[in-house]
Amino acid sequence: MLKIRSAELKHDDYIGKYVSIKGWIHRIRKQKENTFLLIRDDRGDIIQCIIDSSKTNNLTIESSIEIFGIVQKDPRAPEGGYELKANEINIFSISKNDYPIGEYQSLDLLLDKRHLAIRTRRMTMVSKIRSSVLHFSRKWFTDNDWIEVTAPIIVKGSVEGGSTLFPIKYFDENAYLSQSAQLYLEAMIFSLGPVWSITPSFRAEKSRTVRHLTEFLHLEAEAPWVSLDDLITIQEELVSYLIQNILKKNKKEFDFLKRNVSELEKISPPFDKITYEKAIDKLRNEGLTIIDRESSRLIEYGDDLSIESERLLTLNSSKPLFVIGYPLKIKPFYVKEEPSKEGVGLAADLLAPNGFGEITSGGIREDDLQKLEKRMVLEGLQKSNYEWYLDLRRYGSVPHGGFGLGIERLMRWILNLIDIKDTLPFPRTLRRIYP
Ligand code: AMO
């Protein structure tokens, strides 16, 4: 007897074979003589099983079972026209009769009961795509000769500004959860060349938005002797490669989620580009106002690009857009100044199309010790926490740069999801650290 999964047995080769499937009862429809069970296996695939009703008396939704039977073809069977004519059931556990997840729930309940809601087929599909994002990220970097590294999560200082730091008690010292591995990757390029990592980053984001998590998965890359153009090309190639390979591998999942992928199929280098300065002009022409000290005014040069600005810049476009050359004063201390343009940083953010907003941020790092020290003073950073980082500029400093990509931000775009919480099994936000 063959023990297999549902997806595998949906094949003419199995017709007439006696097999067993392990899984959970997804749906039950009892008739007088026969009961129709939809069994969901451990990969979320469904197979219809028909069994004599006398054998299903105590079965409930989500009971875990092994079911034995002969594979047969019937065009009426859901999900592919194959079913199991079953004759025996082994029960692992009878589920309590009040399983809280059904067809219609409030979003809050689905988050409160996330440990169960992740069994929904929708979440299974999303998680499979997430697995592919991670798989193909690793494959792209490995195939292109980048070395994978890891950086510590417990750190002494901020990378992306103090306002989003999560303080932790670390014996008698103050420490924080890492906002970005960047500074540590910068240290590693001196002995490993181009490096990359994928680690959780933490941000104490106090606002509730559909694109901010307090813990997100951060793919980061750093390399010596690269220009801003090189970094842009690397990101164009990486993002296009990820999308094209995921679309191929996860066709079934995209179909299930009813994601129209025709625009994603066209994602390929080069992406669109606009300078920060031109982006501001464009937003001013569109009349974008921002609230400033309780009065509103037109957006102007020097303002950060808000969620609304990013949305407007790509709303009617199906290509990702790089915004290049932000003013230094709205970028962190490590961004290098463009030699020919005072006050302008060698930095670029990548915005996803159709208003999805920023998915990567990166640029060239300040490699001059004095300039870096000055910027740290301006940002009010405590130098003693960064002496190790400044050593990188004292001992053989080199021009270098890198970028960070938010895995959930990328997924939110490619899955066309409104809320970033739907891209991962256990989201962490301002109001949610349970389950
Ligand atoms: P930044 O802070 O822009 O830059 O972060 C890089 C990318 O990480 C993602 N991201 C987030 N995703 C979900 N929830 C959040 N709260 C969140 N914050 C950021 C975004 C963003 O583009 N060290 C620099 C990058 C660099 O220059 O290398 C950094 O961390 O996709």
Side-chain angles (χ1 to χ4, degrees):
M1 197 222 3
L2 288 160
K3 294 178 183 230
I4 54 177
R5 289 205 168 100
S6 306
E8 240 177 293
L9 69 70
K10 289 177 184 174
H11 197 280
D12 280 357
D13 288 355
Y14 285 104
I15 294 173
K17 296 239 161 76
Y18 191 64
V19 302
S20 94
I21 292 280
K22 291 190 186 107
W24 292 263
I25 297 181
H26 195 64
R27 301 262 183 281
I28 306 182
R29 186 158 50 90
K30 280 192 183 168
Q31 291 179 345
K32 213 165 151 216
E33 283 177 8
N34 287 322
T35 294
F36 290 81
L37 300 173
L38 289 190
I39 303 300
R40 192 186 71 245
D41 73 7
D42 61 351
R43 290 277 153 84
D45 289 304
I46 297 280
I47 180 95
Q48 172 166 284
C49 304
I50 304 156
I51 190 159
D52 192 304
S53 288
S54 65
K55 299 191 173 168
T56 61
N57 283 341
N58 54 351
L59 293 183
T60 49
I61 294 287
E62 289 303 309
S63 292
S64 48
I65 62 166
E66 180 169 17
I67 187 159
F68 301 79
I70 290 172
V71 180
Q72 57 187 32
K73 213 169 177 177
D74 186 326
R76 289 167 301 177
E79 312 229 354
Y82 295 86
E83 61 186 16
L84 217 61
K85 179 86 183 116
N87 68 344
E88 203 189 328
I89 293 179
N90 257 346
I91 293 168
F92 295 109
S93 169
I94 294 291
S95 169
K96 262 183 81 196
N97 208 1
D98 57 356
Y99 188 65
I101 314 290
E103 238 163 299
Y104 304 102
Q105 269 87 35
S106 72
L107 292 174
D108 270 340
L109 183 108
L110 288 173
L111 285 164
D112 290 342
K113 303 280 180 196
R114 194 66 158 189
H115 49 295
L116 302 174
I118 54 171
R119 298 181 194 183
T120 56
R121 299 187 71 210
R122 191 182 161 73
M123 270 314 295
T124 300
M125 302 295 165
V126 170
S127 297
K128 285 182 182 175
I129 292 172
R130 189 176 169 88
S131 164
S132 292
V133 173
L134 302 182
H135 167 76
F136 287 113
S137 300
R138 181 159 281 127
K139 185 155 165 47
W140 188 87
F141 278 106
T142 310
D143 289 352
N144 286 282
D145 204 22
W146 292 65
I147 291 187
E148 185 171 2
V149 295
T150 56
I153 296 296
I154 302 173
V155 296
K156 281 294 289 180
S158 84
V159 191
E160 302 302 321
S163 68
T164 61
L165 274 176
F166 266 119
I168 57 165
K169 286 193 212 101
Y170 192 75
F171 306 106
D172 294 332
E173 282 194 67
N174 293 327
Y176 303 97
L177 295 177
S178 165
Q179 296 169 308
S180 162
Q182 179 197 319
L183 307 191
Y184 292 95
L185 298 200
E186 284 185 58
M188 289 191 251
I189 60 164
F190 290 77
S191 51
L192 293 170
V195 293
W196 75 286
S197 66
I198 191 147
T199 39
S201 282
F202 300 85
R203 308 280 170 99
E205 303 279 359
K206 291 177 193 88
S207 52
R208 282 173 76 183
T209 77
V210 292
R211 37 180 255 181
H212 286 93
L213 295 164
T214 50
E215 176 179 344
F216 66 96
L217 205 51
H218 207 171
L219 184 160
E220 294 176 88
E222 197 72 30
W225 299 293
V226 282
S227 65
L228 190 58
D229 283 345
D230 294 336
L231 288 172
I232 286 173
T233 306
I234 291 165
Q235 292 173 70
E236 287 172 336
E237 285 175 6
L238 168 69
V239 170
S240 305
Y241 172 91
L242 289 178
I243 291 178
Q244 297 320 322
N245 281 282
I246 293 161
L247 289 184
K248 249 185 262 155
K249 170 136 201 255
N250 295 100
K251 188 174 177 328
K252 196 173 125 194
E253 286 75 26
F254 281 101
D255 284 349
F256 182 92
L257 296 169
K258 299 197 171 65
R259 168 64 160 131
N260 179 347
V261 295
S262 56
E263 286 191 343
L264 290 178
E265 280 169 346
K266 293 187 209 131
I267 299 292
S268 61
F271 295 170
D272 289 338
K273 279 140 208 148
I274 190 171
T275 61
Y276 164 87
E277 204 177 345
K278 288 231 168 72
I280 293 290
D281 288 346
K282 195 171 163 199
L283 293 168
R284 283 176 73 86
N285 285 340
E286 293 191 23
L288 181 78
T289 53
I290 59 168
I291 310 284
D292 197 7
R293 288 186 210 91
E294 284 166 24
S295 65
S296 69
R297 59 166 174 81
L298 264 188
I299 190 167
E300 59 190 44
Y301 189 93
D303 286 331
D304 212 346
L305 294 185
S306 61
I307 292 180
E308 181 57 11
S309 329
E310 290 179 1
R311 200 180 70 83
L312 283 176
L313 287 172
T314 62
L315 197 55
N316 299 317
S317 151
S318 53
K319 247 185 189 266
L321 171 72
F322 276 104
V323 180
I324 302 168
Y326 286 78
L328 275 187
K329 67 171 194 158
I330 56 166
K331 281 286 176 190
F333 68 97
Y334 53 72
V335 172
K336 189 177 171 71
E337 188 171 15
E338 206 170 298
S340 56
K341 281 194 198 149
E342 208 188 315
V344 175
L346 283 165
D349 286 1
L350 177 60
L351 312 184
N354 307 116
F356 272 96
E358 180 193 319
I359 52 169
T360 82
S361 182
I364 302 301
R365 320 306 187 184
E366 183 51 77
D367 52 297
D368 179 89
L369 179 64
Q370 274 76 40
K371 287 186 183 158
L372 192 58
E373 282 179 324
K374 235 165 126 190
R375 297 275 299 285
M376 291 172 75
V377 171
L378 282 176
E379 279 205 20
L381 297 175
Q382 204 176 335
K383 225 178 107 190
S384 59
N385 289 333
Y386 297 88
E387 284 301 337
W388 70 269
Y389 182 65
L390 294 171
D391 270 354
L392 307 179
R393 275 66 178 170
R394 293 184 183 113
Y395 301 104
S397 189
V398 285
H400 66 285
F403 64 91
L405 175 153
I407 293 292
E408 292 82 8
R409 290 275 182 92
L410 175 79
M411 286 187 64
R412 180 174 168 261
W413 161 41
I414 61 179
L415 290 170
N416 195 24
L417 296 169
I418 291 170
D419 195 337
I420 197 165
K421 291 200 285 297
D422 294 333
T423 64
L424 76 171
F426 295 103
R428 296 291 181 248
T429 60
L430 180 61
R431 299 197 197 293
R432 210 165 266 286
I433 51 165
Y434 176 93

